Amino acid sequence: MEEKAISVTGLKKGFDGNEILKGIDFDLEKGENLVVLGKSGVGKSVLIKCIVKLIEPDDGDIEVLGTDIRSLHKDDELNEYRRKVGFLFQGGALYDAMTVEENMRFPLERLPNKPDNDEIEKRIEEALENVGLEDTRKKMPAELSGGMNKRIALARTLILQPQIMLYDEPTTGLDPATSKEISHLILEMQDKYKMSSVIITHDMKCAEITANRMKVIKDGVFAFEGSYDDLSSKDDPWLKNFFE
Ligand SMILES: Nc1ncnc2c1ncn2[C@@H]1O[C@H](COP(=O)(O)OP(=O)(O)OP(=O)(O)O)[C@@H](O)[C@H]1O
Ligand SMILES: [Mg+2]
């Protein structure tokens, strides 16, 4: 059987006796964009944080690129793991006190096999080109718009060439036109770097643009699955709310 990018089985997580994720199962195929939809507070960010090991699940299995992530303990194992699995945080914050260029250089400088200066320059150049912001190198994040900050944050995550990308609300807080741009950028990067991605969103336009497949969380489990067209034409009153 072909190795999955991510395979999650029976994932449970609660806080203070309140069960949030009640048995989440899904596979992410290699090269696939999976959109996860769900109302605010349903546990979407918790799910992603379990996958990057920022939160310890109560129960269930998570395999990423064939590795049971419970077997990763040491700092260097975790660092290596997190280089393979890029995570664009909800909010996508850059380091405020660093220029764009310094923000981009930071993850590269910390690599165990630090690339030489020419290679670092090349990668910063390429990463900024990817998001169409080559001329912002010397700028501070505060001098850039929200949409530009998101694009730089995306470029900074991609600079480590992760095999898997996890996007937590990549378009929240952006105007519709900029949201569309970011969504198309996610598609372009999937294609260019042959990445597999989980995209968490409640922006239906973003879902429509990016999804190869969608899954919808309801009451702690995945209640619906299908393509954007499948789900948008389903005759379910609860589901219809998302598409209105
Ligand atoms: N570290 C934590 N400690 C305690 N409770 C938490 C923690 N992280 C998340 N929660 C709770 O888990 C629930 C799910 O949170 P989560 O952030 O995953 O929601 P979400 O689906 O991402 O919502 P949104 O769409 O608003 O981002 C919330 O009730 C939240 O308060
Ligand atoms: Mg969230």
Side-chain angles (χ1 to χ4, degrees):
M1 206 172 59
E2 173 109 26
E3 184 182 277
K4 308 285 181 193
I6 299 177
S7 186
V8 170
T9 325
L11 177 64
K12 293 185 181 171
K13 181 65 191 177
F15 298 98
D16 314 316
N18 185 16
E19 202 170 37
I20 303 287
L21 302 178
K22 302 180 183 173
I24 290 283
D25 300 297
F26 77 94
D27 287 334
L28 176 70
E29 304 293 337
K30 286 197 175 154
E32 180 186 39
N33 272 353
L34 175 69
V35 164
V36 172
L37 206 62
K39 286 191 185 165
S40 186
V42 82
K44 302 182 301 297
S45 295
V46 168
L47 169 61
I48 278 202
K49 285 175 186 164
C50 287
I51 296 173
V52 289
K53 284 199 81 143
L54 291 172
I55 288 181
E56 190 70 25
D58 297 332
D59 199 7
D61 293 318
I62 304 176
E63 267 193 25
V64 179
L65 300 166
T67 300
D68 178 346
I69 66 167
R70 269 175 307 205
S71 69
L72 309 171
H73 298 291
K74 299 195 199 95
D75 278 354
D76 54 346
E77 288 171 345
L78 281 171
N79 288 337
E80 195 195 331
Y81 174 63
R82 292 192 180 124
R83 280 195 293 277
K84 281 193 238 165
V85 182
F87 179 20
L88 191 65
F89 282 87
Q90 194 165 1
L94 298 172
Y95 305 111
D96 287 338
M98 293 185 191
T99 63
V100 165
E101 185 178 274
E102 286 159 354
N103 263 282
M104 306 294 288
R105 182 170 289 128
F106 189 75
L108 295 174
E109 298 272 1
R110 295 171 69 229
L111 285 174
N113 300 317
K114 193 181 116 180
D116 63 33
N117 278 337
D118 284 354
E119 175 66 19
I120 288 181
E121 279 310 303
K122 222 178 79 198
R123 292 204 15 205
I124 294 176
E125 193 70 37
E126 180 183 330
L128 289 175
E129 231 173 71
N130 278 337
V131 298
L133 290 173
E134 301 94 312
D135 48 1
T136 60
R137 265 179 176 256
K138 303 290 178 203
K139 295 238 192 299
M140 302 301 286
E143 298 176 87
L144 304 174
S145 70
M148 288 160 114
N149 266 282
K150 268 268 152 90
R151 273 147 72 182
I152 299 288
L154 175 57
R156 187 185 57 184
T157 312
L158 291 175
I159 209 164
L160 294 178
Q161 300 166 343
Q163 296 174 49
I164 296 176
M165 269 299 292
L166 307 173
Y167 297 94
D168 196 352
E169 306 273 5
T171 62
T172 298
L174 304 175
D175 62 82
T178 310
S179 297
K180 266 199 213 170
E181 276 172 29
I182 297 276
S183 305
H184 283 292
L185 202 52
I186 290 172
L187 261 194
E188 281 166 35
M189 294 303 109
Q190 173 200 20
D191 187 49
K192 181 168 181 182
Y193 296 111
K194 308 292 170 229
M195 285 186 304
S196 326
S197 306
V198 177
I199 301 147
I200 286 184
T201 190
H202 29 214
D203 170 357
M204 297 311 289
K205 198 72 208 167
C206 173
E208 186 179 9
I209 293 169
T210 59
N212 301 127
R213 186 162 60 104
M214 295 174 66
K215 281 175 99 62
V216 190
I217 303 188
K218 184 186 182 188
D219 302 329
V221 295
F222 281 124
F224 300 94
E225 176 184 336
S227 67
Y228 181 89
D229 288 342
D230 291 341
L231 295 188
S232 61
S233 58
K234 242 194 173 59
D235 195 19
D236 180 281
W238 183 87
L239 192 61
K240 272 189 189 314
N241 278 326
F242 283 98
F243 292 87
E244 272 160 6

